[in-house]
Amino acid sequence: MFSKILIANRGEIALRVLRACRELGIKTVAVHSTADEDAMHVRLADEAVCIGPPAARDSYLNVAAILSAATITGAEAIHPGYGFLSENADFAETVEAHGLTFIGPTAEHIRMMGDKITAKTTMEALGVPLVPGSDGELKSLDEARTVAEQVGYPVLIKATAGGGGRGMKVARDASEIEEAWTVARTEARTVFGNDAVYLEKYLDKPRHIELQILGDNYGNVVHFGERDCSLQRRHQKLLEEAGSPAITPDQRNGIGKTVTEALSKMGYRNAGTLEFLYQDGQFCFIEMNTRLQVEHPVTEMVCDVDLVREQIRLAAGEKLGYTQSDVTFSGHAIECRINAEDPDTFAPCPGTVAVYHAPGGLGVRIDSALYTGYKVPPYYDSMIAKVIVHAPTRDQAIARMHRALDEFVVEGIKTVIPLHRRILADPEFQKGDYTIHWLEQFTARPH
């Protein structure tokens, strides 16, 4: 086992990793920008190193500074959290080349799954079902037209290097295909520096279902069930559930068996999440995230597992030590992401937290690095907390989340807590009757 780990991230995820290290008896090194010198993870870590000015490109994305911090503090491994460098294959490769352990998958698998065409081709060859679409990158507008006619409109043109909803455009009929082709490629070139695109059938009422897995260095892979991440605005998740109100245990077992067998053949190690569109009883693979997910706590709550602890164990070369039959599911969990945003306009609202009081009680968990007097900086993602609840049933979990949000006090800045209250009170949400398009339609309603 490692004696010291550097945490190459900030905010609540840095604190989450730090806590797992503490319970394992591992010393921690926090890295931070000048904007985060008073951050909670910096205060609690055994050592802290400033790695640059506020801009992420000069600090949290500064590979040389991070590796230097690891060297001078004697860290043996680096945990990247999520975001920033967590899915950067070159970073993972460089970490290993410097004699350190990257707590995550191999650079090969990060690179393979980072390109959506390669990921889909790989998964299809391993028997994982896909959304109908092009075999790979579209070489021309004429090819896009041909494939669109074959799979049937509406279709979605997507950047191969995409993410976060960027480089994506829907064509609902043949008259829109040229514009979709042009817009998707232009945005992909601007955002990702790569204008390669592919085409998929556009599903009109899908749910976004993802499956959490862990693999060790010895070919053992298990899954920890599904999360329903369908409540999204502009492809950014806001509320997640485990399990999904739309998935039966038999469906979970079926897709889980398919996925674990595929990843075992790949030799995949550490944590990963496979994302699917689910409609009319069919799972269609869309991408794989080769890292820990923001929403991992709901899985931890229903499976009684510490996924970060498992990541560290597996990176240290330990075996899983359990099989699929040992993984059990209990109750229902819901996570609300609390962003420092106006709940109506979604405009970012950085500033000083005048009063902070976190909810508590049975089955309530708060993942946050906030405290009274903390200054939420304007330079990074607006998520400032996650409220996670667990209860025996979904209805009880909804009631518990209502209660937790009513107790949650964050003054001095605006947050999306009022929006979450509205969502939880909506009859369609309470019935579990929603798709990936539901939230945008909901937020457009007058209230």
Side-chain angles (χ1 to χ4, degrees):
M1 182 51 70
F2 309 111
S3 60
K4 186 183 288 187
I5 290 174
L6 182 143
I7 305 166
N9 217 297
R10 63 176 301 280
E12 66 87 15
I13 188 58
L15 194 56
R16 170 72 185 87
V17 176
L18 184 150
R19 287 168 171 159
C21 290
R22 281 277 172 86
E23 293 182 14
L24 286 166
I26 299 170
K27 298 288 187 181
T28 55
V29 179
V31 294
H32 64 93
S33 71
T34 53
D36 279 338
E37 60 185 356
D38 293 325
M40 187 65 76
H41 76 285
V42 176
R43 294 183 172 195
L44 294 180
D46 295 289
E47 299 173 72
V49 180
C50 181
I51 54 172
R57 66 177 179 276
D58 300 321
S59 52
Y60 297 105
L61 296 174
N62 187 335
V63 174
I66 291 170
L67 290 174
S68 295
T71 300
I72 63 175
T73 57
E76 299 161 305
I78 294 179
H79 196 303
Y82 54 71
F84 291 136
L85 294 166
S86 62
E87 291 182 288
N88 187 311
D90 292 340
F91 177 64
E93 221 161 42
T94 303
V95 168
E96 299 281 344
H98 280 74
L100 304 168
T101 299
F102 179 79
I103 300 178
T106 64
E108 175 192 4
H109 286 146
I110 295 173
R111 195 169 281 121
M112 180 187 297
M113 294 297 113
D115 182 277
K116 292 184 179 178
I117 288 179
T118 304
K120 291 178 68 176
T121 302
T122 302
M123 287 300 168
E124 185 176 33
L126 292 169
V128 178
L130 305 182
V131 180
S134 59
D135 291 333
E137 178 187 346
L138 295 168
K139 300 299 184 183
S140 67
L141 175 58
D142 285 342
E143 184 183 1
R145 286 194 175 103
T146 299
V147 177
E149 292 293 338
Q150 290 172 348
V151 303
Y153 288 97
V155 297
L156 183 65
I157 294 183
K158 302 173 68 173
T160 66
R166 309 304 298 273
M168 298 169 56
K169 186 67 177 176
V170 177
R172 298 192 177 278
D173 55 45
S175 69
E176 296 182 355
I177 191 71
E178 183 173 357
E179 180 185 359
W181 160 265
T182 303
V183 171
R185 293 183 71 225
T186 300
E187 188 170 82
R189 186 185 309 113
T190 302
V191 177
F192 307 113
N194 177 357
D195 67 358
V197 296
Y198 63 103
L199 182 147
E200 286 181 345
K201 173 71 176 175
Y202 180 69
L203 302 178
D204 57 349
K205 295 180 180 179
R207 297 181 84 108
H208 183 126
I209 304 295
E210 59 186 34
L211 201 75
Q212 175 71 59
I213 65 94
L214 286 174
D216 63 19
N217 294 337
Y218 311 96
N220 304 303
V221 180
V222 298
H223 75 83
F224 293 85
E226 83 284 357
R227 297 185 286 256
D228 197 318
C229 304
S230 303
L231 290 185
Q232 304 176 15
R233 178 182 174 272
R234 296 184 178 177
H235 304 281
Q236 299 297 313
K237 301 166 186 172
L238 190 68
L239 181 152
E240 300 96 356
E241 304 190 61
S244 169
I247 305 300
T248 67
D250 284 346
Q251 288 173 316
R252 171 194 297 152
N253 294 337
I255 193 64
K257 185 173 186 293
T258 297
V259 163
T260 53
E261 288 178 353
L263 294 183
S264 181
K265 291 175 185 175
M266 276 176 60
Y268 189 88
R269 74 177 194 201
N270 217 269
T273 296
L274 288 90
E275 301 196 345
F276 296 87
L277 291 180
Y278 172 83
Q279 183 171 310
D280 301 325
Q282 300 297 314
F283 291 92
C284 297
F285 172 82
I286 49 174
E287 64 180 322
M288 182 176 185
N289 295 124
T290 51
R291 55 169 168 81
L292 196 67
Q293 296 279 93
V294 174
E295 58 272 19
H296 75 273
V298 291
T299 296
E300 293 184 325
M301 300 293 265
V302 297
C303 293
D304 192 24
V305 61
D306 183 334
L307 291 172
V308 178
R309 178 189 177 99
E310 293 301 281
Q311 281 191 293
I312 295 169
R313 279 203 321 107
L314 298 173
E318 295 185 16
K319 290 185 177 181
L320 273 174
Y322 45 85
T323 64
Q324 191 63 56
S325 62
D326 297 315
V327 178
T328 57
F329 304 91
S330 174
H332 194 88
I334 300 174
E335 173 182 283
C336 289
R337 299 190 189 196
I338 309 303
N339 300 331
E341 296 174 354
D342 185 290
D344 295 316
T345 67
F346 300 99
C349 293
T352 301
V353 178
V355 179
Y356 176 75
H357 174 76
L362 180 66
V364 177
R365 165 178 166 179
I366 306 298
D367 281 17
S368 176
L370 283 191
Y371 56 86
T372 297
Y374 176 71
K375 294 182 179 179
V376 178
Y379 312 106
Y380 314 113
D381 187 87
S382 62
M383 191 181 74
I384 53 173
K386 300 183 306 199
V387 182
I388 309 102
V389 300
H390 180 252
T393 68
R394 185 172 184 267
D395 286 345
Q396 289 173 301
I398 292 172
R400 184 161 287 168
M401 182 63 81
H402 264 298
R403 189 265 296 169
L405 293 177
D406 286 343
E407 290 181 17
F408 203 0
V409 179
V410 182
E411 295 183 0
I413 58 173
K414 292 182 178 181
T415 75
V416 296
I417 290 175
L419 172 59
H420 280 297
R421 290 197 187 105
R422 288 174 50 215
I423 292 170
L424 292 165
D426 188 88
E428 290 180 345
F429 173 78
Q430 292 177 353
K431 289 187 294 185
D433 185 17
Y434 58 83
T435 71
I436 63 170
H437 308 300
W438 185 87
L439 184 58
E440 295 204 358
Q441 295 164 357
F442 176 79
T443 54
R445 300 175 196 167
H447 64 277

